[in-house]
Amino acid sequence: MAKANGKNTYTYFEDSYNQMLTDKIELQSELRRAIENEEFVLFYQAQMDISKKKLVGFEALIRWNHPIKGLLNPVDFIYLAEESGLIIPIGKWALKCACKQLKEWSDMGYTDITMSVNLSARQFRDENFVQTILEIIEETGIDPSRLELEITESIALDNLEYTIEVIKELNKIGVKFSLDDFGTGYSAMSYLKRLPISNVKIDKSFLDTVLEDTTDQKIIQAIINLAYNLDLQVIAEGVEQLEHEQLLQRLNCNMAQGYLYSKPVPKEKAEDLLNSSDLMK
Ligand code: C2E
Ligand code: MG
Ligand code: MG
Ligand code: MG
């Protein structure tokens, strides 16, 4: 087919481009099937209060249990889910699953923990978004004040007025919002004071080099000060080493998340973490 017009236009690049398209179309139909077959799972990563050495909540992180390729990370499929719009049903599934889990743990006596769920732009912009969240809360019977929704700066700033409206609507019933990957997006921060969020999450990239790079320390310090001045909680992401934790403690950052405490783990392992922490009422 590529040899149309009798000319030899069939090139290596065309070949690999066609292959890429085929792979993409195939992955997209697999994604569709994955929704029907319920091939997605949530992993949970502990969020810690490092001043009290206490587990305070979990972030739900999606995985795709692919029948042939095995367990896939979001980087392998979320972009395509977003591009194709399939993130709407997939994201809804993740929200519902996370809320069911929160309810289950609450019924076991862990009533004080929070559950954070990531949102993509398409989900947040969807006209049914608020309604969907309300329905999931109603259906699962969770305490809405234990639910935290994570959005990035780019989602928040793409129509700031609309963002504020949506967040306020959900704030009314107690749902909180976090600003994920903070510090990687926009340098103008004046919007922060208008955004009705509760937390900022310092992006992992600052922690990656902070022990060698004093500039990163200053940036982290500045983010922490800014957040506290605006009455926001700060969570540091990507805490891998004890030295990271010690630095955060020196900088007065109380909340942390990272491999030092736990990688994202399946439900059963998360329950082990809950059981070994001292949270039961
Ligand atoms: P994120 O929300 O910024 O999540 C943090 C990512 O950093 C996670 O990757 C987590 O496994 C990883 N991480 C946490 N601590 C450490 C650490 O100490 N060291 C290192 N090297 N990595 C750490 P993951 O699970 O691959 O998720 C990647 C992204 O995919 C998330 O970034 C989030 O933006 C997106 N995502 C995950 N689940 C969902 C979901 O249910 N819906 C949507 N829309 N997006 C999701
Ligand atoms: Mg997140
Ligand atoms: Mg993040
Ligand atoms: Mg991220």
Side-chain angles (χ1 to χ4, degrees):
M1 199 170 72
K3 286 187 183 178
N5 309 329
K7 285 185 200 145
N8 189 2
T9 54
Y10 193 85
T11 65
Y12 169 77
F13 295 104
E14 220 172 315
D15 194 16
S16 58
Y17 179 72
N18 287 338
Q19 186 60 50
M20 202 182 74
L21 271 187
T22 317
D23 287 352
K24 209 168 143 177
I25 292 165
E26 195 177 304
L27 194 64
Q28 198 162 310
S29 74
E30 284 182 339
L31 265 184
R32 245 177 259 279
R33 184 209 58 210
I35 299 170
E36 284 159 28
N37 296 357
E38 294 178 53
E39 292 170 13
F40 297 104
V41 281
L42 289 186
F43 276 33
Y44 302 92
Q45 187 177 35
Q47 295 182 321
M48 308 293 296
D49 180 331
I50 52 178
S51 65
K52 299 183 186 132
K53 300 251 178 244
K54 215 176 124 188
L55 192 162
V56 290
F58 290 98
E59 177 175 1
L61 294 155
I62 199 166
R63 301 290 181 263
W64 179 4
N65 210 342
H66 191 283
I68 296 157
K69 295 175 188 153
L71 204 61
L72 300 180
N73 284 321
V75 67
D76 301 315
F77 62 92
I78 287 286
Y79 73 97
L80 197 59
E82 278 168 359
E83 210 180 289
S84 60
L86 291 170
I87 194 67
I88 301 287
I90 294 171
K92 188 171 174 183
W93 173 86
L95 276 160
K96 201 184 273 183
C97 182
C99 289
K100 274 189 200 155
Q101 191 58 72
L102 180 64
K103 177 72 165 94
E104 205 178 301
W105 286 335
S106 163
D107 288 346
M108 284 164 65
Y110 302 110
T111 50
D112 282 345
I113 57 166
T114 57
M115 180 68 81
S116 298
V117 186
N118 292 282
L119 300 177
S120 80
R122 286 276 278 262
Q123 277 176 283
F124 188 78
R125 298 277 152 227
D126 188 75
E127 57 179 12
N128 298 318
F129 173 67
V130 172
Q131 190 55 33
T132 301
I133 299 289
L134 295 178
E135 278 167 21
I136 289 173
I137 290 170
E138 167 95 32
E139 218 181 294
T140 56
I142 60 156
D143 173 355
S145 71
R146 300 280 116 200
L147 179 63
E148 296 183 355
L149 301 176
E150 299 193 359
I151 56 171
T152 59
E153 285 176 282
S154 61
I155 298 177
L157 291 182
D158 170 30
N159 196 345
L160 184 59
E161 302 308 322
Y162 177 77
T163 301
I164 293 171
E165 208 179 292
V166 169
I167 296 181
K168 276 192 177 156
E169 200 57 36
L170 287 168
N171 278 169
K172 277 189 206 154
I173 58 159
V175 176
K176 299 187 181 74
F177 280 78
S178 305
L179 209 50
D180 205 356
D181 305 342
F182 187 74
T184 58
Y186 296 77
S187 48
M189 291 182 185
S190 54
Y191 72 89
L192 255 193
K193 66 170 191 274
R194 300 195 49 218
L195 215 52
I197 52 168
S198 309
N199 305 301
V200 296
K201 300 186 76 176
I202 303 177
D203 193 68
K204 184 184 158 303
S205 59
F206 296 110
L207 263 287
D208 285 343
T209 45
V210 73
L211 298 176
E212 302 91 59
D213 186 347
T214 49
T215 312
D216 277 339
Q217 282 190 36
K218 286 177 189 153
I219 293 174
I220 291 180
Q221 178 75 76
I223 295 176
I224 293 168
N225 291 342
L226 176 71
Y228 286 160
N229 282 326
L230 295 169
D231 280 325
L232 303 173
Q233 284 247 40
V234 191
I235 307 179
E237 293 190 283
V239 178
E240 293 183 352
Q241 306 173 41
L242 205 54
E243 286 79 5
H244 287 148
E245 186 186 86
Q246 289 161 345
L247 176 78
L248 291 168
Q249 277 166 331
R250 277 204 304 281
L251 299 177
N252 272 320
C253 175
N254 298 334
M255 304 270 286
Q257 196 181 330
Y259 293 176
L260 178 64
Y261 314 104
S262 171
K263 290 194 167 178
V265 292
K267 164 201 166 94
E268 294 76 19
K269 286 244 169 66
E271 272 167 20
D272 291 343
L273 291 174
L274 279 171
N275 287 327
S276 58
S277 68
D278 190 12
L279 289 172
M280 196 71 98
K281 282 263 158 109

